[in-house]
Amino acid sequence: MKTSLLFRKKYAIVRPFIYKKASLTSINLRILILLLLQIICLFIYKSYSALTVIGSCALASFLVFLIRFLTKKEPVYYVFGSLLQGIFTGMLLPETFPPVIAAFIVFFVMLGVKIISSNPGNVWVNTVAFSVLIAWFIGQSFFPGFLVTSEILEFKNPSLSLIQSGIFTVFKTDSFITGLFNKYVFKFLKVYVPDGYISFLWDSKSLIPAFRFNILTLFSSIVLFSDDSIDWKIPSVFLVVYLVLVRLFAPMFFGGTFNSGDIILALFSSGTLFFSLFMLQWFGTVPSTKFGKFLYAFLCGITAFLLVGAGTSPVGMVYTILIGNILSVIIKVIETSSEISSTLRGVSE
């Protein structure tokens, strides 16, 4: 019995995450359909360069699947997961990033991960985030920089300052739509929303496609949470921790006042919503116990605050996800050790 448990402990440390494949296909299909809405919007707004990058990454990931399908006889339904990873990677790269280089990065990273790990359920690192990180090191000049400065963060509403300065584009219909919301919705809440916020929430015009259509990401979260495709607990804890820290402490680092941070800027820039929904609990990269998941989300929230700050970071969330993967492994080892210790005590008694 003890020998079996010790083997299990060693196995859990080396290959810490196993997930069931039965439900993954349907979940991946739902996510692909929801991502299609954002891709359609990119087409409507004629963001053809962004679509080219996304398409090249998707093609590269499909080629990896095809190679594995022909050589290792991987199941056909793996194609959905492969396409999903390629599309996610493309959406997290700037539309100015060279498509050929993006395709090469996706191809070699995902092929390497496939070779190293015979089972996708044993991959503890988020391959999408890892691919984007490599792209960042190779072509950092293609990524946008921080939009906020220390001077802007001294104000109470940095997002409004960025809108009024023209950094965030305001649509012609914004004033009309904002007026309707102020008259028929926000009036009863005794709240007035300035012009520009509706445009910012709909399309921030970021060079990184995943950062743009936050309202569609919100809609996706409602759909995925409502049918239990994705657990809401980890994203919720993560966002609460991160946004509370931004609200309370972010301005203080730049001469601002306590409890005056801009939650809207933090939530709707840097891909915060996108990462919290799609990347934070990528299949097989989170702890298994409720306490482990809570601790994972809590620590990731703190990490995001330290790396992303008040918002508009191009890759801060990528680092957050990868650091979270390492934290998750540590938490999982502690969980396994605790479980084995409890079992051994039960056997000895």
Side-chain angles (χ1 to χ4, degrees):
M1 179 69 176
K2 291 184 178 181
T3 303
S4 175
L5 287 170
L6 290 174
F7 173 79
R8 180 184 172 190
K9 180 177 180 181
K10 179 180 179 181
Y11 181 85
I13 292 174
V14 177
R15 305 173 74 178
F17 305 109
I18 307 295
Y19 64 76
K20 297 179 180 179
K21 304 183 186 67
S23 62
L24 281 184
T25 302
S26 60
I27 294 174
N28 286 338
L29 278 173
R30 292 189 191 100
I31 295 175
L32 280 171
I33 292 171
L34 291 170
L35 287 179
L36 183 61
L37 297 177
Q38 301 205 23
I39 292 174
I40 291 173
C41 285
L42 289 171
F43 182 80
I44 292 173
Y45 287 108
K46 300 180 180 180
S47 299
Y48 301 129
S49 56
L51 292 171
T52 303
V53 174
I54 295 171
S56 65
C57 291
L59 178 60
S61 63
F62 176 75
L63 289 176
V64 172
F65 160 77
L66 191 61
I67 291 172
R68 296 288 293 181
F69 175 75
L70 296 175
T71 59
K72 299 295 182 180
K73 305 301 180 183
E74 282 192 345
V76 176
Y77 58 80
Y78 275 21
V79 68
F80 298 111
S82 296
L83 286 175
L84 201 58
Q85 292 183 69
I87 293 173
F88 275 139
T89 305
M91 293 188 68
L92 290 169
L93 293 177
E95 62 179 42
T96 54
F97 201 88
V100 175
I101 297 177
F104 271 102
I105 292 172
V106 171
F107 180 83
F108 286 108
V109 169
M110 294 189 178
L111 183 61
V113 169
K114 291 276 190 178
I115 293 173
I116 294 173
S117 176
S118 59
N119 188 332
N122 300 325
V123 180
W124 61 269
V125 65
N126 189 306
T127 52
V128 173
F130 189 62
S131 298
V132 176
L133 182 64
I134 291 178
W136 163 259
F137 283 118
I138 292 176
Q140 185 174 345
S141 60
F142 295 105
F143 284 77
F146 274 92
L147 299 178
V148 292
T149 62
S150 58
E151 292 79 12
I152 292 178
L153 290 174
E154 293 179 7
F155 296 103
K156 188 175 183 179
N157 296 311
S159 57
L160 182 59
S161 300
L162 293 172
I163 291 171
Q164 292 176 341
S165 63
I167 294 178
F168 292 136
T169 304
V170 179
F171 298 114
K172 295 179 180 179
T173 57
D174 185 280
S175 181
F176 174 74
I177 298 174
T178 302
L180 290 178
F181 274 99
N182 283 330
K183 183 177 181 180
Y184 296 107
V185 179
F186 299 126
K187 177 182 178 180
F188 301 100
L189 301 175
K190 297 182 179 180
V191 174
Y192 173 78
V193 177
D195 292 347
Y197 277 104
I198 298 297
S199 298
F200 174 50
L201 298 184
W202 170 248
D203 184 3
S204 65
K205 293 294 183 180
S206 172
L207 287 176
I208 302 177
F211 295 10
R212 291 181 61 172
F213 306 108
N214 283 289
I215 289 180
L216 290 181
T217 304
L218 276 174
F219 171 75
S220 299
S221 67
I222 294 172
V223 173
L224 295 173
F225 292 154
S226 62
D227 64 5
D228 293 327
S229 296
I230 294 180
D231 190 358
W232 59 271
K233 299 181 186 66
I234 289 178
S236 299
V237 173
F238 166 77
L239 288 175
V240 168
V241 172
Y242 170 57
L243 295 178
V244 167
L245 290 174
V246 169
R247 176 66 183 180
L248 296 179
F249 303 113
M252 297 178 64
F253 290 97
F254 303 96
T257 59
F258 175 76
N259 193 27
S260 62
D262 192 336
I263 291 180
I264 292 179
L265 183 65
L267 183 61
F268 295 106
S269 67
S270 307
T272 302
L273 276 178
F274 193 91
F275 277 99
S276 62
L277 177 63
F278 296 118
M279 297 286 107
L280 191 63
Q281 50 183 348
W282 190 263
F283 306 113
T285 62
V286 295
S288 56
T289 65
K290 290 183 179 179
F291 177 77
K293 291 178 180 178
F294 172 84
L295 181 60
Y296 166 76
F298 181 84
L299 293 175
C300 284
I302 296 176
T303 303
F305 174 69
L306 296 175
L307 297 178
V308 181
T312 73
S313 170
V315 292
M317 282 295 176
V318 172
Y319 280 100
T320 298
I321 296 300
L322 292 174
I323 292 174
N325 291 159
I326 298 173
L327 294 173
S328 186
V329 171
I330 297 172
I331 294 171
K332 182 62 180 180
V333 171
I334 295 173
E335 288 174 337
T336 305
S337 300
S338 176
E339 180 184 351
I340 292 172
S341 299
S342 299
T343 305
L344 288 174
R345 283 196 299 269
V347 172
S348 62
E349 292 174 0

